[in-house]
Amino acid sequence: MIVKTDSEREGMRAASRVVKAALDAAEKFVKPGVTTLEIDAIVEEVIRSYGAIPSSKGFEGYPNASCISVNEVVVHGIPSLRTVKDGDIVSVDITALLNGYQGDAARTFAVGNVAAEDLKLINAAEAAFFAGLEYAKAGNRVGDISSAVQLYSELNGYGVVRALTGHGIGHKMHEPPEVPNYGKKHTGAPLKNGMCICIEPMIPPGDWRLYVERHGWTVRSADRSNAAHYENTVIVTDGEPEILTL
Ligand code: MF3
Ligand code: CO
Ligand code: CO
């Protein structure tokens, strides 16, 4: 959506604050021995404590409040009885609906003693987001964000996922335009003042191809290497973008 009024802007901020609170609670909870279902339960509890709705639950049949993607699972990991172990990297992606507005954000958390290369990967996903964010300004185009994310990732020796993208957001979780993590400068939809978007690099170390479970949601890296995900809901303005889920 394009937020035109202060109350719309405040609506997006409030929904995003709920997402941020749920992410913070999840981060504290991600410890060796906890199951991903237990993390999901905390996420749902926090979201509902604000009177918000976990909008992933029931979205195209998705069963849970959060997507929890461990190690080689890139995105859309379904919470399960799998326990988190020392050395895992755990991505948590949360969408919440409050008063008709959606917020959406993801982080990858390191559990205990994580391999140096995985820590680098986690930082790269975050840095790729900020590389893209530099171009999130009215007058630019979506491809400016996309190409910056791609360039950052590839210059640092990583791949970027192509089959899944960032997106517009507002009353619905996914709205136009798509915000890919690869692309060309000066192409794609024009960015407008008030436009709400999610920029969400999904970074596998090399091969960007994905393996999607045939009868499920779970998306793995094709070569089974660990992947990181970093996402924020952002309002584009004529000046600095406003990050709502930080
Ligand atoms: N939060 C995801 C996104 O970033 C979408 C969640 S898919 C769902 O776009 F099925 F879990 F809802
Ligand atoms: Co998300
Ligand atoms: Co998203």
Side-chain angles (χ1 to χ4, degrees):
M1 78 184 295
I2 295 181
V3 286
K4 298 203 177 78
T5 65
D6 283 348
S7 99
E8 287 175 322
R9 200 172 282 262
E10 205 36 63
M12 289 301 293
R13 286 187 188 124
S16 295
R17 280 196 293 269
V18 174
V19 171
K20 171 64 171 143
L23 273 176
D24 288 347
E27 179 171 22
K28 291 208 190 81
F29 213 72
V30 177
K31 296 232 166 68
V34 74
T35 68
T36 55
L37 258 177
E38 287 171 320
I39 302 166
D40 182 70
I42 295 295
V43 167
E44 178 156 3
E45 195 178 304
V46 171
I47 292 172
R48 293 203 190 274
S49 76
Y50 285 85
I53 291 165
S55 36
S56 293
K57 203 169 194 169
F59 177 82
E60 292 179 7
Y62 187 80
N64 292 86
S66 59
C67 299
I68 305 187
S69 307
V70 181
N71 294 341
E72 83 288 353
V73 179
V74 184
V75 286
H76 300 166
I78 296 183
S80 72
L81 294 174
R82 175 176 185 163
T83 52
V84 167
K85 294 187 176 50
D86 185 75
D88 282 348
I89 63 170
V90 179
S91 302
V92 180
D93 187 359
I94 299 170
T95 311
L97 176 69
L98 181 67
N99 299 324
Y101 297 95
Q102 303 271 1
D104 182 9
R107 299 286 184 272
T108 301
F109 304 122
V111 185
N113 295 304
V114 165
E117 62 194 44
D118 285 341
L119 287 178
K120 263 186 71 195
L121 187 71
I122 291 171
N123 289 332
E126 178 174 344
F129 166 88
F130 282 99
L133 188 76
E134 294 259 334
Y135 294 86
K137 193 174 175 188
N140 288 345
R141 294 169 76 166
V142 168
D144 297 322
I145 298 174
S146 302
S147 69
V149 170
Q150 179 178 15
L151 200 65
Y152 181 89
S153 304
E154 291 179 351
L155 282 176
N156 286 280
Y158 298 111
V160 278
V161 164
R162 295 167 195 238
L164 298 158
T165 69
H167 48 92
I169 186 166
H171 297 303
K172 293 200 289 184
M173 180 197 303
H174 292 156
E175 296 185 3
E178 280 192 354
V179 183
N181 293 309
Y182 69 100
K184 294 207 179 340
K185 270 180 172 294
H186 312 304
T187 66
L191 297 170
K192 301 209 164 78
N193 188 22
M195 196 180 250
C196 301
I197 56 172
C198 290
I199 304 174
E200 50 179 310
M202 296 159 237
I203 308 288
D207 192 337
W208 49 264
R209 290 173 308 156
L210 300 176
Y211 176 84
V212 184
E213 268 179 16
R214 209 208 243 271
H215 297 292
W217 282 85
T218 310
V219 177
R220 292 188 167 81
S221 56
D223 61 6
R224 295 287 202 268
S225 53
N226 289 354
H229 185 199
Y230 185 92
E231 170 178 35
N232 283 308
T233 300
V234 169
I235 302 180
V236 174
T237 75
D238 290 320
E240 289 295 305
E242 186 180 341
I243 310 175
L244 304 187
T245 44
L246 208 56

